Structure formats: structure tokens, C-alpha cells
């Protein structure tokens, strides 16, 4: 797993870390059941504070991507139990994206194409069902 942190970004470092781990899981670079580096190890590798990594791991756990085990550490275990909550979260987040697309005169067809391309990029596991 290769993580790139942009220290000049306006996005918080813990969110950059969280988002890159989710992308790694979606692209199957990080597999179900795989242990992530310890908080201390990843913090040292990235040159960030341990609390930053700890916060990213806590959010990933809360969002249903990880389990935290005292012996194994952070383990990838994507939970579908939170699917209804995830759909609601996606709805809220995408609402702003659609509003921005409309303001920028991006058509529904163009939005469909963007989403279709992203699903292909991540290796759509749902067989392209839109």
C-alpha cells in the first residue's frame, strides 16, 4: 500500500489517509482480512503524528471498513451492515456534487459517464448495474 500525503492540501491529513485507504480497498490493493501497519509504524513512514493515523483508523472503523483488534491491529473488514447509512451519506455528499455539476453546465449524461468510468477504474463488482 502506497500512501501519498499532500502536506500543502487544504484537506486534513487524517482524511487524506482515510480516503486513500478506502480507494486502496476499492481497487483491491488492500484485501479483506489484511492487517494495516500499526499506528506508530504508519505515522513514522508518513512523517505524521500518531494521533493523525489513530484518527483516520477510528473513522475507518466507524465507517465500517476496519476492525480494530489488540493482537492483530487494524484489519480490513468491510461491513455491509452499514449499507443503509452509507447510502444516506452518499446521497448527502452527491447532492452537492450534482448542484455543482448543474452550475457548471455538466449534463446528466456526462455525470453518468464520469461515474461509469470511475466504477470501471475500481473494477466494478456489481457488474455495471447502474
Amino acid at each position: 500500500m502506497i500512501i501519498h500525503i499532500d502536506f500543502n492540501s487544504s484537506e486534513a491529513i487524517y482524511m487524506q489517509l482515510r480516503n486513500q485507504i478506502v480507494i486502496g480497498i476499492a481497487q483491491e490493493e488492500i484485501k479483506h482480512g489484511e492487517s494495516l501497519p500499526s499506528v506508530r509504524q504508519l505515522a513514522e513512514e508518513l512523517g505524521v503524528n500518531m494521533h493523525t493515523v489513530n484518527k483516520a483508523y477510528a473513522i475507518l472503523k466507524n465507517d465500517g471498513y476496519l476492525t480494530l483488534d489488540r493482537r492483530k491491529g487494524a484489519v480490513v473488514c468491510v461491513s455491509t451492515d452499514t449499507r443503509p447509512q452509507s447510502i444516506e451519506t452518499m446521497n448527502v455528499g452527491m447532492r452537492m456534487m450534482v448542484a455543482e455539476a448543474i452550475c457548471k453546465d455538466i449534463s446528466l449524461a456526462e455525470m453518468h459517464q464520469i461515474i461509469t468510468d470511475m466504477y470501471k477504474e475500481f473494477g466494478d463488482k456489481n457488474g455495471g448495474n447502474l
Side-chain angles (χ1 to χ4, degrees):
M1 170 177 71
I2 298 175
I3 294 176
H4 300 284
I5 299 298
D6 180 357
F7 292 98
N8 296 317
S9 173
S10 61
E11 183 177 39
I13 293 171
Y14 71 90
M15 285 305 293
Q16 290 182 50
L17 179 56
R18 178 245 183 236
N19 293 343
Q20 289 188 40
I21 290 171
V22 171
I23 289 170
I25 294 168
Q27 292 177 327
E28 296 185 336
E29 292 173 1
I30 307 170
K31 308 281 190 217
H32 178 81
E34 184 175 332
S35 291
L36 297 179
S38 70
V39 169
R40 179 170 300 185
Q41 180 184 2
L42 189 54
E44 286 177 12
E45 287 177 16
L46 297 175
V48 300
N49 190 295
M50 286 183 5
H51 296 292
T52 301
V53 176
N54 197 42
K55 187 170 185 175
Y57 280 9
I59 292 170
L60 287 161
K61 178 187 182 288
N62 188 53
D63 291 347
Y65 293 101
L66 298 179
T67 58
L68 300 177
D69 182 288
R70 290 187 188 269
R71 292 171 289 153
K72 295 180 183 178
V75 179
V76 175
C77 182
V78 179
S79 170
T80 56
D81 294 343
T82 59
R83 190 170 189 276
Q85 177 186 344
S86 296
I87 290 172
E88 180 59 29
T89 301
M90 296 290 157
N91 189 18
V92 170
M94 291 187 74
R95 184 172 181 80
M96 182 52 72
M97 283 187 244
V98 170
E100 290 175 1
I102 289 169
C103 289
K104 299 291 185 174
D105 200 29
I106 298 170
S107 71
L108 177 59
E110 290 170 313
M111 288 294 286
H112 273 271
Q113 190 60 54
I114 290 166
I115 292 169
T116 299
D117 291 347
M118 287 182 187
Y119 265 80
K120 288 178 184 174
E121 175 188 346
F122 291 115
D124 180 14
K125 297 174 189 91
N126 296 323
N129 297 327
L130 290 178

